Protein backbone atom coordinates (compact mmCIF):
# COMPACT_ATOMS: atom_id res chain seq x y z
CA UNK A 1 0.00 0.00 0.00
CA UNK A 2 0.88 3.68 -0.09
CA UNK A 3 3.49 4.99 2.33
CA UNK A 4 3.97 8.72 2.85
CA UNK A 5 7.08 10.14 4.53
CA UNK A 6 7.17 13.76 5.69
CA UNK A 7 10.11 15.95 6.71
CA UNK A 8 10.98 17.76 8.86
CA UNK A 9 8.93 16.79 11.90
CA UNK A 10 9.43 20.25 13.40
CA UNK A 11 10.31 23.53 11.74
CA UNK A 12 10.91 26.91 13.33
CA UNK A 13 11.24 30.06 11.24
CA UNK A 14 11.33 33.77 11.83
CA UNK A 15 8.29 35.78 10.81
CA UNK A 16 8.65 36.84 7.18
CA UNK A 17 10.91 33.94 6.23
CA UNK A 18 9.87 31.04 4.00
CA UNK A 19 9.04 27.53 5.15
CA UNK A 20 9.35 24.36 3.10
CA UNK A 21 7.94 20.95 4.02
CA UNK A 22 8.71 17.88 1.92
CA UNK A 23 6.91 14.59 1.40
CA UNK A 24 7.68 11.44 -0.51
CA UNK A 25 5.24 8.72 -1.51
CA UNK A 26 5.69 5.13 -2.61
CA UNK A 27 2.73 4.29 -4.87
CA UNK A 28 3.30 5.55 -8.40
CA UNK A 29 -0.47 5.28 -8.97
CA UNK A 30 -1.13 8.10 -6.48
CA UNK A 31 -2.59 11.07 -8.29
CA UNK A 32 -4.04 13.42 -5.67
CA UNK A 33 -1.89 15.23 -3.09
CA UNK A 34 -3.58 17.51 -0.55
CA UNK A 35 -2.02 19.48 2.27
CA UNK A 36 -3.91 19.98 5.52
CA UNK A 37 -3.32 22.46 8.33
CA UNK A 38 -4.30 21.42 11.84
CA UNK A 39 -4.30 23.84 14.74
CA UNK A 40 -4.17 22.48 18.27
CA UNK A 41 -7.39 20.68 19.13
CA UNK A 42 -8.99 21.53 15.79
CA UNK A 43 -9.94 19.54 12.72
CA UNK A 44 -7.56 19.23 9.73
CA UNK A 45 -8.38 21.83 7.07
CA UNK A 46 -7.34 21.68 3.44
CA UNK A 47 -5.06 24.54 2.46
CA UNK A 48 -4.00 23.47 -1.02
CA UNK A 49 -4.00 20.38 -3.21
CA UNK A 50 -2.42 19.26 -6.45
CA UNK A 51 -3.27 16.60 -8.97
CA UNK A 52 -0.78 14.51 -10.87
CA UNK A 53 -1.33 16.26 -14.18
CA UNK A 54 0.08 19.50 -12.73
CA UNK A 55 3.63 20.24 -11.58
CA UNK A 56 3.00 23.34 -9.49
CA UNK A 57 0.10 25.21 -7.97
CA UNK A 58 0.07 28.50 -6.11
CA UNK A 59 -2.47 30.24 -3.91
CA UNK A 60 -1.27 33.57 -2.51
CA UNK A 61 1.54 32.78 -0.05
CA UNK A 62 1.20 29.02 -0.42
CA UNK A 63 2.55 26.87 -3.24
CA UNK A 64 2.89 23.15 -3.82
CA UNK A 65 5.24 21.44 -6.26
CA UNK A 66 5.03 17.84 -7.46
CA UNK A 67 7.77 15.71 -8.99
CA UNK A 68 6.10 12.53 -10.20
CA UNK A 69 9.34 10.95 -11.40
CA UNK A 70 10.96 11.29 -8.00
CA UNK A 71 7.64 10.72 -6.19
CA UNK A 72 7.93 13.74 -3.97
CA UNK A 73 5.96 16.89 -3.38
CA UNK A 74 6.59 19.98 -1.30
CA UNK A 75 4.70 22.76 0.43
CA UNK A 76 6.15 26.25 0.30
CA UNK A 77 4.91 29.06 2.53
CA UNK A 78 6.36 32.51 1.86
CA UNK A 79 6.28 35.58 4.11
CA UNK A 80 5.33 33.46 7.08
CA UNK A 81 3.14 34.95 9.82
CA UNK A 82 2.61 33.82 13.43
CA UNK A 83 -0.88 32.57 12.48
CA UNK A 84 0.77 30.08 10.11
CA UNK A 85 1.96 28.21 13.22
CA UNK A 86 0.24 24.79 13.21
CA UNK A 87 0.84 21.17 12.28
CA UNK A 88 0.85 20.55 8.53
CA UNK A 89 0.05 17.15 7.02
CA UNK A 90 0.66 15.98 3.48
CA UNK A 91 -1.35 13.13 2.03
CA UNK A 92 -1.54 11.02 -1.09
CA UNK A 93 -4.33 8.99 -2.65
CA UNK A 94 -5.04 7.05 -5.79
CA UNK A 95 -8.35 6.48 -7.56
CA UNK A 96 -8.94 4.18 -4.62
CA UNK A 97 -9.82 6.94 -2.21
CA UNK A 98 -8.28 5.87 1.07
CA UNK A 99 -5.92 8.74 1.77
CA UNK A 100 -2.57 8.11 3.43
CA UNK A 101 -1.15 10.90 5.56
CA UNK A 102 2.37 11.85 6.53
CA UNK A 103 3.26 12.08 10.21
CA UNK A 104 3.02 15.88 10.21
CA UNK A 105 5.31 18.89 10.56
CA UNK A 106 4.94 21.23 13.50
CA UNK A 107 5.65 24.71 12.15
CA UNK A 108 6.42 27.51 14.57
CA UNK A 109 6.67 31.08 13.26
CA UNK A 110 8.46 33.34 15.73
CA UNK A 111 7.42 36.99 15.76
CA UNK B 1 -23.73 25.40 5.27
CA UNK B 2 -23.24 22.91 8.05
CA UNK B 3 -19.98 21.02 8.09
CA UNK B 4 -19.23 17.51 9.24
CA UNK B 5 -20.28 16.99 12.84
CA UNK B 6 -19.28 14.27 15.30
CA UNK B 7 -20.67 13.24 18.64
CA UNK B 8 -19.66 12.97 21.37
CA UNK B 9 -16.72 15.36 21.33
CA UNK B 10 -15.16 13.44 24.21
CA UNK B 11 -15.74 9.91 25.45
CA UNK B 12 -14.14 8.35 28.48
CA UNK B 13 -14.74 4.65 29.01
CA UNK B 14 -13.31 1.74 30.91
CA UNK B 15 -11.31 -1.07 29.40
CA UNK B 16 -13.57 -3.77 28.08
CA UNK B 17 -16.58 -1.53 27.45
CA UNK B 18 -18.41 -0.96 24.17
CA UNK B 19 -18.52 2.49 22.55
CA UNK B 20 -20.29 4.07 19.60
CA UNK B 21 -19.05 7.18 17.84
CA UNK B 22 -21.33 9.08 15.49
CA UNK B 23 -20.61 11.08 12.35
CA UNK B 24 -22.99 13.36 10.44
CA UNK B 25 -21.48 14.14 7.03
CA UNK B 26 -22.15 17.18 4.91
CA UNK B 27 -25.58 16.83 3.33
CA UNK B 28 -25.36 15.22 -0.09
CA UNK B 29 -21.85 13.85 0.35
CA UNK B 30 -21.87 10.25 -0.77
CA UNK B 31 -18.39 9.34 0.44
CA UNK B 32 -17.63 9.04 4.15
CA UNK B 33 -14.34 8.15 5.82
CA UNK B 34 -13.22 7.26 9.31
CA UNK B 35 -9.68 7.94 10.50
CA UNK B 36 -7.87 7.51 13.80
CA UNK B 37 -5.31 10.07 14.93
CA UNK B 38 -2.91 9.29 17.74
CA UNK B 39 -0.97 12.05 19.48
CA UNK B 40 1.73 13.47 17.24
CA UNK B 41 0.68 11.42 14.23
CA UNK B 42 -1.22 11.96 11.03
CA UNK B 43 -4.72 10.58 10.56
CA UNK B 44 -4.69 6.83 9.91
CA UNK B 45 -7.30 5.50 7.48
CA UNK B 46 -9.83 3.05 8.96
CA UNK B 47 -12.79 2.63 6.61
CA UNK B 48 -14.47 4.27 3.62
CA UNK B 49 -18.15 4.21 2.67
CA UNK B 50 -19.60 4.99 -0.71
CA UNK B 51 -23.30 5.32 -0.06
CA UNK B 52 -24.44 2.64 2.36
CA UNK B 53 -21.72 0.10 1.65
CA UNK B 54 -18.24 -0.15 3.10
CA UNK B 55 -16.17 0.10 -0.06
CA UNK B 56 -12.88 -0.35 1.80
CA UNK B 57 -12.45 -1.48 5.41
CA UNK B 58 -8.81 -2.48 5.08
CA UNK B 59 -7.73 0.03 7.73
CA UNK B 60 -9.78 -1.41 10.58
CA UNK B 61 -7.18 -2.76 13.03
CA UNK B 62 -9.12 -5.88 14.11
CA UNK B 63 -12.60 -7.35 14.41
CA UNK B 64 -13.40 -5.30 17.52
CA UNK B 65 -13.92 -2.36 15.18
CA UNK B 66 -17.01 -2.09 13.00
CA UNK B 67 -18.80 0.75 11.23
CA UNK B 68 -22.19 1.16 9.62
CA UNK B 69 -23.96 3.69 7.45
CA UNK B 70 -27.42 2.18 7.00
CA UNK B 71 -29.10 5.03 5.13
CA UNK B 72 -26.11 6.45 3.32
CA UNK B 73 -25.83 9.50 5.55
CA UNK B 74 -25.02 9.20 9.27
CA UNK B 75 -22.35 6.69 10.17
CA UNK B 76 -21.53 5.00 13.47
CA UNK B 77 -18.14 3.58 14.38
CA UNK B 78 -18.47 0.82 16.94
CA UNK B 79 -15.66 -0.49 19.13
CA UNK B 80 -16.17 -3.61 21.23
CA UNK B 81 -14.14 -4.65 24.26
CA UNK B 82 -12.17 -1.41 24.24
CA UNK B 83 -8.47 -1.49 25.08
CA UNK B 84 -6.22 1.30 26.36
CA UNK B 85 -4.46 1.31 22.99
CA UNK B 86 -7.73 2.40 21.34
CA UNK B 87 -7.36 5.82 22.96
CA UNK B 88 -7.07 8.40 20.17
CA UNK B 89 -9.02 11.04 18.32
CA UNK B 90 -11.42 9.47 15.83
CA UNK B 91 -11.96 11.71 12.83
CA UNK B 92 -14.72 11.48 10.28
CA UNK B 93 -14.56 13.09 6.84
CA UNK B 94 -16.89 13.30 3.88
CA UNK B 95 -16.54 14.25 0.25
CA UNK B 96 -18.90 14.85 -2.65
CA UNK B 97 -16.98 12.46 -4.85
CA UNK B 98 -14.39 9.92 -3.79
CA UNK B 99 -10.82 9.85 -4.95
CA UNK B 100 -9.96 13.25 -6.30
CA UNK B 101 -12.03 15.62 -4.22
CA UNK B 102 -11.40 17.37 -0.97
CA UNK B 103 -12.29 15.49 2.17
CA UNK B 104 -13.93 17.73 4.76
CA UNK B 105 -13.12 16.69 8.30
CA UNK B 106 -15.27 16.76 11.40
CA UNK B 107 -13.95 17.99 14.77
CA UNK B 108 -13.27 14.46 15.97
CA UNK B 109 -14.18 12.42 19.02
CA UNK B 110 -11.46 12.10 21.64
CA UNK B 111 -11.73 8.57 23.05
CA UNK B 112 -9.98 7.77 26.30
CA UNK B 113 -9.96 4.19 27.53
CA UNK B 114 -9.00 3.93 31.19
Amino acid sequence: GENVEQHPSTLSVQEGDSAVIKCTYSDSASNYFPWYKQELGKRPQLIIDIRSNVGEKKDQRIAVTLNKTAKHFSLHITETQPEDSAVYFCAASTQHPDMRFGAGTRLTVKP
Amino acid sequence: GAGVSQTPSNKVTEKGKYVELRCDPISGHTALYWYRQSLGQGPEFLIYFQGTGAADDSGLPNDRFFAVRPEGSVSTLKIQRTERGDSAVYLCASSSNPGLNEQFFGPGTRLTVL
Side-chain angles (χ1 to χ4, degrees), chain A residues 48-66:
Chain A
I48 196 167
D49 58 13
I50 192 167
R51 305 184 195 283
S52 60
N53 59 345
V54 175
E56 184 174 0
K57 184 176 178 181
K58 190 173 181 181
D59 182 3
Q60 299 182 345
R61 297 186 297 108
I62 297 172
V64 57
T65 58
L66 171 65

Side-chain angles (χ1 to χ4, degrees), chain B residues 7-71:
Chain B
T7 54
S9 56
N10 280 284
K11 177 70 178 177
V12 180
T13 190
E14 293 180 342
K15 180 176 178 295
K17 299 289 188 183
Y18 168 82
V19 296
E20 289 189 353
L21 313 179
R22 177 188 166 108
C23 172
D24 279 86
I26 293 172
S27 177
H29 279 193
T30 58
L32 184 145
Y33 313 80
W34 282 99
Y35 293 85
R36 178 168 68 176
Q37 187 174 26
S38 300
L39 193 63
Q41 297 295 316
E44 174 193 3
F45 170 78
L46 296 177
I47 187 169
Y48 151 65
F49 287 89
Q50 178 58 32
T52 60
D56 182 353
D57 63 359
S58 63
L60 294 177
N62 52 60
D63 61 6
R64 296 187 298 106
F65 289 74
F66 189 70
V68 296
R69 193 186 186 199
E71 298 178 356

Side-chain angles (χ1 to χ4, degrees), chain A residues 5-65:
Chain A
E5 301 280 345
Q6 184 171 347
H7 302 279
S9 56
T10 60
L11 179 60
S12 183
V13 299
Q14 207 66 37
E15 183 177 0
D17 288 351
S18 295
V20 180
I21 303 171
K22 298 181 179 182
C23 288
T24 60
Y25 61 99
S26 61
D27 189 345
S28 56
S30 289
N31 53 13
Y32 176 61
F33 307 91
W35 285 88
Y36 284 83
K37 176 183 180 181
Q38 188 174 30
E39 298 177 6
L40 189 63
K42 300 286 182 64
R43 71 190 76 192
Q45 294 203 307
L46 181 77
I47 55 170
I48 196 167
D49 58 13
I50 192 167
R51 305 184 195 283
S52 60
N53 59 345
V54 175
E56 184 174 0
K57 184 176 178 181
K58 190 173 181 181
D59 182 3
Q60 299 182 345
R61 297 186 297 108
I62 297 172
V64 57
T65 58

